[in-house]
Amino acid sequence: MLLSHGGEPSPTGGPVARWSVEQVLALAPDEASRQAGTRLGAAGPWTGTGRDGAGAVWGLCKGSGSTPYRTVVDTTGPAYSCSCPSRKFPCKHALGLLLFRVSDDAAFRPGEPADWAAAWIEGRRGRAAEKGGAATGGDAARGPADAAARKRAERRAERVTGGAQELEQRLADLLRGGLAATDRAGYGLWEETAARMVDAQAPGLAARVRELGAITGSGPGWPVRLLEECGLLHLLDTAWLGRERLPDPLAATVRTRVGLPVSAEGAPVRDHWLVLAQYDTPDGKIVARRIWLYGRESGRTALLLSFGAAGRSPAQALPVGATIDAELTPYPGGGQLRAELGEQFGAMAPAGPPPGITAAAAPAVYGDALREDPWLDSWPVTLRDVIPIPAKDGWQVADAHADSALPIAPAALSRPGLWKLVALSGGGPVTVFGEIGHRGFDPFAAWEPGETEEGGRTTVGSVVQLV
């Protein structure tokens, strides 16, 4: 299991792993457990929650009976114990406990385990110490755990491979029967296929299959759009099946796209990071928060992802328009921008907009990114000196100094942020940050034009959020 770090120090001096929502859900044995665990990932059913400094968390979960279920998880294993009668491993209570920890760390008081949890924790760690007693060094002590982790990863890879092979057969049957037949089959065809991908522990493939179901019958030209997405899904399938022949960065991207969990493992990058935008995307009962950053010295753009379970907002939040002096650790993968926020230094400070590019140059930037990750829907860009103007079928942002423009993505046309952008511009050029993709440009934040004071000094305009 690949975990993200940044938790409390362990007795050995190393960091104790802290999990994200996606990593917890990846442990679920099936979709039913995933949904049931999500429902338990809030404070309501839990009492007596706590954690120690070595990676154990515990809590009492109210069930249908008079006695609450006793649940304890050793995150360094991972290993689980619960007094419920479920034969699933981990059970929904263990998943719910971990999801609750992700969404509200403050609810888990540090300290000594409860008596009922201490017995299991001490027994487990005692057995681990006995197994490691014969080891002469740290690497040797980690050997059995590393070997077990490799076996688990190999078993999961085999299941994903089986799912990819089945999906390839279903795509071939779909094209053989004709795309028009999918309109008659209804959404059940896609949902059943997506469920098969969930069983194969490939949530990324399952999500793309569900997107195919939403395209069918979605309006004029839907067969063309369906064929395009089927082609991308076929490309992902074949890339997974031939991943041994891919360059390492692209292979890491493919692993991420099929839904395998990864951890931030690159060299930390310290910079003064400008917070470009922050917005939430609901996904069932899980809320994903995306925070875009720009490094003033490195010129790098980075994405922070955090999640809130069971209706809770993600804990991570940064003020848009501020600059933080901090370290970011990047995730692997060709074309991947995701990173993990590390140590922060000093206080936040306001700052002006990042340097931008022209509207004419933006499509080429997106095209270059597609070479690293063919499944990208969009790519972040900052456009300078653009003016929002009405177009025949919506709106566009036009270059103030050249004959070029980008259509504004349909998703942005119904948001109030579009009118904020129009009002901010007032017919004049502004700097706008957003994402460009095959559907157009989606604006997320804009900076007011600076004003010239007496003496020729130009002030920095404030930022306006558009999402």
Side-chain angles (χ1 to χ4, degrees), residues 328-349:
L328 295 187
T329 303
Y331 281 71
Q336 297 296 302
L337 297 178
R338 187 182 174 188
E340 185 175 280
L341 181 63
E343 185 177 358
Q344 300 182 43
F345 310 90
M348 296 184 182

Side-chain angles (χ1 to χ4, degrees), residues 287-313:
V287 176
R289 173 165 293 167
R290 288 169 169 81
I291 302 176
W292 284 107
L293 305 175
Y294 172 78
R296 289 288 189 181
E297 286 77 35
S298 65
R300 299 175 61 159
T301 302
L303 173 65
L304 304 181
L305 274 179
S306 58
F307 299 88
R312 288 177 172 267
S313 297

Side-chain angles (χ1 to χ4, degrees), residues 164 168 231-243 245-246 254 375:
E168 277 296 281
L232 286 173
L233 186 53
H234 166 69
L235 181 63
L236 182 56
D237 273 344
T238 54
W240 170 263
L241 296 175
R243 62 192 180 280
R245 301 187 298 273
L246 299 178
V254 170
W375 304 278

Side-chain angles (χ1 to χ4, degrees), residues 27 51 89 130-131 200 209 280 301 353 373 376 391 396:
L27 295 170
R51 59 179 172 86
F89 188 77
E130 291 175 2
K131 290 180 180 179
V209 169
D280 294 346
T301 302
D373 184 351
L376 277 174
Q396 58 187 5

Side-chain angles (χ1 to χ4, degrees), residues 357-452:
I357 60 175
T358 64
V365 173
Y366 176 48
D368 290 341
L370 284 174
R371 283 200 290 266
E372 301 292 332
D373 184 351
W375 304 278
L376 277 174
D377 287 327
S378 58
W379 190 256
V381 293
T382 300
L383 304 180
R384 68 168 187 265
D385 295 335
V386 292
I387 304 172
I389 59 175
K392 180 180 179 181
D393 299 319
W395 284 78
Q396 58 187 5
V397 284
D399 195 312
H401 308 296
D403 187 18
S404 61
L406 293 173
I408 291 182
L413 297 179
S414 59
R415 294 199 304 257
L418 173 61
W419 301 108
K420 291 182 183 180
L421 177 60
V422 173
L424 179 67
S425 167
V430 291
T431 297
V432 185
F433 169 78
E435 295 179 3
I436 183 173
H438 58 278
R439 296 181 180 88
F441 177 72
D442 196 352
F444 294 157
W447 283 260
E448 295 178 349
E451 298 180 358
T452 302

Side-chain angles (χ1 to χ4, degrees), residues 44 103 195 228 272 275 348 387 402 440 463 465:
S103 63
E228 291 172 346
H272 290 84
V275 184
M348 296 184 182
I387 304 172
V463 64
Q465 297 187 64

Side-chain angles (χ1 to χ4, degrees), residues 1-2 77-78 139-159 201 240 243 260:
M1 181 67 186
L2 296 173
D139 291 341
R142 290 193 299 268
D146 291 344
R150 283 195 299 270
K151 288 182 179 179
R152 288 194 297 269
E154 290 171 359
R155 287 195 297 268
R156 180 168 185 178
E158 290 174 357
R159 287 192 288 268
Q201 293 189 290
W240 170 263
R243 62 192 180 280
L260 296 186

